[in-house]
Every structure is written in C-alpha cells, then in structure tokens.
Amino acid sequence: LMTAVNKQRFLAALTAGVTLCVGALFRVEGIAFALLLPLTLLFANTLSRRKKITYLFAAILPVLVGLFAFVFIAHAFNQDNIRAVGRMDHVMNLASAFSTISDNVTTIIGQMKSTVLDYQSQRGASVIVIAGLLGLLLFEIIKVANPVLFLFAAYAAKRHFMPRTYGKRLCKSALLINLAILLYFVGTFAFLSGRYVIPLSLIFLLWAPFTIEHFYQYFCVCQRKNIKYWYYPITGIILTGFLVYNISHAHYDKEYIRNAGQWTERHVAESTELLSNSAEFLFYSRGIIKNWDDVYNTEVTNLLDNVKRKQVVALKLNKKQALKMLPTLTNWQMLATFKNEHGDCILLIQKDKKG
C-alpha cells in the first residue's frame, strides 16, 4: 500500500489486495483486516481522488472475489457446517458493529453488577468494564509488539523521526484503522487473541528503526567527543536478548495432530462416531464434522463422562494435562498416541469392554 502511494502504481495496490486475501485464508477473521486496511489509501494526500478510489478498488477486489468464491463453493458442496464458514458472522457483524458492541458491553455490565460488584460499586460498573476492556487491548498490544519496540515506536512518533516521504500519513491512518478493528473484536467478544494485534505490531516496526537510528547517530557524535552514551549499546543488548528468547521459545510443530488425523482416517471405520476437544484433529481426521461447535467447545471431563462404548475419543492435551489425565484412564483402551517434542499429545482412546 505504501508503494502504491509513493510510486503511484496500480499494480502495487492490486498486489496488496492479493496479499491481504492470502493472509485471510489462515483465519477467517482476517477478512475484517483485508476489507478495512485498504481504506488507508483514502488518507494519502499525494493521490488524486480518482486514484484513491481506483487503488482502493484494486486492493479490495481480490478479497471480495475470494470471499464470494469461498461462500459459493461451500454452499454448492453443502459444506455449511465448516467451522470457518461458521465464523463468517464475525465479518458480517461489521455492518452493525456499534449496536453489537453496545449490546455486548451492556450485557457484561449487567453480569458484573449481578455477580461481582457490591451495591456501592455498581454505580461505576460501566467505567470498570470499559477500562478493563481498554486495559486488555493495551496489554495485548504491548505484549505482542514487544515492550521495547512499542516504546521505540512511541518515541519516534512523538519526536517525528519518520519523514513524510516515507509514508508517515499512511502509517498513522493504518494505525487508527487497526485500533478500530481491535476495539471491535474486544467490544464484541470481550477477548482479544494476540494474532489480531500482529498487523498493528508490524506498523510499530516501521517506526522503531528511526529511534534506533537516532540513538546510533547520537552515539557516534558522543564517541567523537569522548562522551559516554549507553543508550545505543543497551538497545543492542536488549534486542539481542529478545531475539534469543523468541528463537528459543518458538512454538513446537503440530505435525502430530495431522498424523493423528491421518491415522484415524486409515484405522477407524467411517461408521464410528468420533469425538474430540480439538477442531484441528477433527479437520484432519474427517474433514467435515457435524455439530463441530458443540464438539469443539466441550470440556475434556464432560466429554469423557458422556462417551458411549463404541465411540472413539481423541483428547488433545498438553504435557501437564497428559500427566494428570493418564492415571485416570484405567477403564479406557489406548488405540494410539501422538506427541511432539514439547510433550503435547493426542490420545486416541475407546471405552474398554470391561469398563
């Protein structure tokens, strides 16, 4: 989008739209970003009104085409129970965002008054709920964007380090649109996943290098004058530390889930009813699952209590859950176990005939 504005290239806007469309394939909620982020083009003061509309159309067109194609294919093959289609309401609710947020916040305030707050505190229930939601938003932004880079970006924005030719106006408008999208998710679900903050953190990354460059230039001046200046070396140490931490704490692979699903497809009869607390496993094992939401949201303990003898259960557990759960499965037949190096596992079990 910045290339489309700075170099006034129609193809760059179209490429941005395709990129956003591909990104939305990983999470359906990404369509909200893919539809709204191109609106930043409307704030580009270097483009004529005609070019703004043309580039905006080019950036949104791939997303609209992909969206309609996806819905058409799902409907044509009678796959309306795909979990991804079920999440389309996240996108459709954008049209009534204000009423949806208002209704949900009002509901949360009512629940707080009836369960948590005493009589004296109920007067400030709305302030407490709104402050809590905004605090959740700020916490996720700082956590995902990295506290140090967040401070660097804020310092660069305050000191106006980013030149206008770099796309400063576009970055600011993208920042505001991202905040609006995040406020929508927080107000609608009272929850914010870290992945929703990634686009915003990338915008912070565009600002942060200007602060680092400022520290470096000042460091060079101080060296010539034999003045001690520790900001730049400390910055390097902190960033290196975060780099090492992120590499060493990278997420472990989830290939074991796919292997478990493929094993189930080969060894478990299609007539067998399959239950699981993992939507990912259900996808790889059967592809299309009826009542997916009911199965996916079921707690492990409730799931085991209601299992019939001929049903097969696939439990997705982390290392601590597995150590706690295994001793209690004495009346269950272990069909297969799939693990990763972190200890996360999927246990395929069936009620023992003796149990």
Side-chain angles (χ1 to χ4, degrees), residues 152 155 211-219 229 231-232 235:
F152 283 178
Y155 185 71
T211 297
I212 298 173
E213 183 186 24
H214 170 74
F215 287 163
Y216 175 71
Q217 291 176 350
Y218 200 77
F219 175 74
Y229 183 75
Y231 282 5
Y232 184 70
T235 299

Side-chain angles (χ1 to χ4, degrees), residues 146-270:
N146 184 310
V148 176
L149 292 179
F150 177 80
L151 292 174
F152 283 178
Y155 185 71
K158 182 180 179 181
R159 296 290 300 271
H160 305 287
F161 289 152
M162 181 184 289
R164 292 185 178 182
T165 55
Y166 191 78
K168 182 178 179 180
R169 187 184 179 96
L170 203 67
C171 285
K172 286 185 176 179
S173 59
L175 184 69
L176 293 176
I177 291 174
N178 267 285
L179 286 174
I181 296 173
L182 296 179
L183 284 172
Y184 162 73
F185 282 119
V186 169
T188 303
F189 307 108
F191 167 79
L192 187 64
S193 176
R195 60 179 169 268
Y196 299 156
V197 189
I198 290 176
L200 186 65
S201 65
L202 294 177
I203 296 173
F204 289 147
L205 286 176
L206 294 175
W207 257 297
F210 292 103
T211 297
I212 298 173
E213 183 186 24
H214 170 74
F215 287 163
Y216 175 71
Q217 291 176 350
Y218 200 77
F219 175 74
C220 292
V221 172
C222 291
Q223 271 195 325
R224 288 195 295 268
K225 296 181 179 180
N226 293 324
I227 300 173
K228 293 182 178 180
Y229 183 75
W230 295 102
Y231 282 5
Y232 184 70
I234 291 174
T235 299
I237 294 171
I238 292 174
L239 292 179
T240 303
F242 275 116
L243 176 64
V244 173
Y245 175 82
N246 289 331
I247 293 175
S248 61
H249 289 74
H251 291 290
Y252 291 85
D253 70 272
K254 296 185 178 181
E255 189 177 356
Y256 73 102
I257 301 176
R258 183 175 60 186
N259 293 338
Q262 292 174 348
W263 184 92
T264 304
E265 262 193 321
R266 292 193 300 267
H267 296 88
V268 177
E270 291 187 10

Side-chain angles (χ1 to χ4, degrees), residues 19-32:
T19 306
L20 289 168
C21 186
V22 172
L25 292 175
F26 292 91
R27 300 293 297 189
V28 171
E29 299 95 317
I31 297 176

